Amino acid sequence: MAVSQHTAPAAPALQPSPAASPAAGDGLTLEARLAAVEAAMSVRLDEAAVAHEVRVAHIDTEPVDLADVITVPLTPSLQPSPQPGPSHLRTPVAALLERARARMESDGWCVGALSDESGAVCLLGAIRKEAGGDRGLEADAASVVLDAIHRRFGHHVDSVPEFNDSWGSGHIPTRMLGEAASMADAQGL
């Protein structure tokens, strides 16, 4: 017994008849035709929404509480941060950037200032604190961070502080310190 590999055609979708759609030669202005098409599409979207609600009405779902799904530490300092060994990064700029990343993870992240009253730091604040007054090393590290930002996000970012202050959390700025440390190590800086 041979089984047909073809299935029956699906029922045709309900489409407005061509007579219901405004045509270019019916004397309507472009705005009137667009308004008519928009009204027809609104009706179709409303019908589709009702059909979707009917199709999924039998599915039992419970609202998801994001507090059960997203877990973050209450304070960053309570989380142990992995500290690389002294042999991990061989160059001074790379080691400085890795220390700055660790400082930002432990002290917290801030915007609009090098550091805030609670001790949280921005990208440059973390670099400056870890540079220990060596302005040349600090400038080299900031330059590598800006290069890493440009590679990842494009050249529209003008400065490290602008990049730092454009985020709502310190996750990406902290990650950029780690990426910049790897870049500096690879470049022998």
Side-chain angles (χ1 to χ4, degrees):
M1 170 179 196
V3 176
S4 172
Q5 296 295 322
H6 301 287
T7 59
L14 296 176
Q15 302 247 345
S17 65
S21 298
D26 61 6
L28 294 175
T29 65
L30 176 62
E31 288 81 14
R33 287 191 308 234
L34 288 173
V37 169
E38 181 181 10
M41 286 304 296
S42 294
V43 168
R44 290 180 71 188
L45 287 171
D46 289 343
E47 290 173 351
V50 169
H52 174 73
E53 289 297 321
V54 168
R55 281 193 302 270
V56 298
H58 70 283
I59 301 173
D60 272 339
T61 59
E62 293 180 21
V64 175
D65 183 12
L66 291 180
D68 294 337
V69 178
I70 300 172
T71 58
V72 294
L74 295 177
T75 58
S77 61
L78 295 179
Q79 286 287 330
S81 63
Q83 296 291 331
S87 63
H88 175 69
L89 299 173
R90 298 176 302 273
T91 63
V93 173
L96 167 64
L97 290 168
E98 185 57 37
R99 289 192 314 271
R101 182 199 60 77
R103 176 175 289 271
M104 187 178 284
E105 283 182 345
S106 65
D107 292 355
W109 170 80
C110 71
V111 296
L114 291 174
S115 65
D116 66 8
E117 59 278 351
S118 69
V121 291
C122 74
L123 282 167
L124 282 180
I127 292 169
R128 180 162 292 168
K129 283 188 175 184
E130 291 301 322
D134 186 342
R135 295 293 185 175
L137 186 61
E138 180 183 330
D140 290 343
S143 177
V144 172
V145 170
L146 188 59
D147 287 345
I149 291 167
H150 285 161
R151 285 185 183 194
R152 184 74 119 70
F153 296 97
H155 290 277
H156 67 279
V157 180
D158 294 327
S159 67
V160 174
E162 173 191 339
F163 177 80
N164 181 80
D165 294 351
S166 67
W167 296 97
S169 76
H171 180 72
I172 299 297
T174 303
R175 185 185 313 160
M176 289 312 299
L177 283 171
E179 288 183 23
S182 296
M183 276 180 50
D185 193 47
Q187 294 172 1
L189 299 175

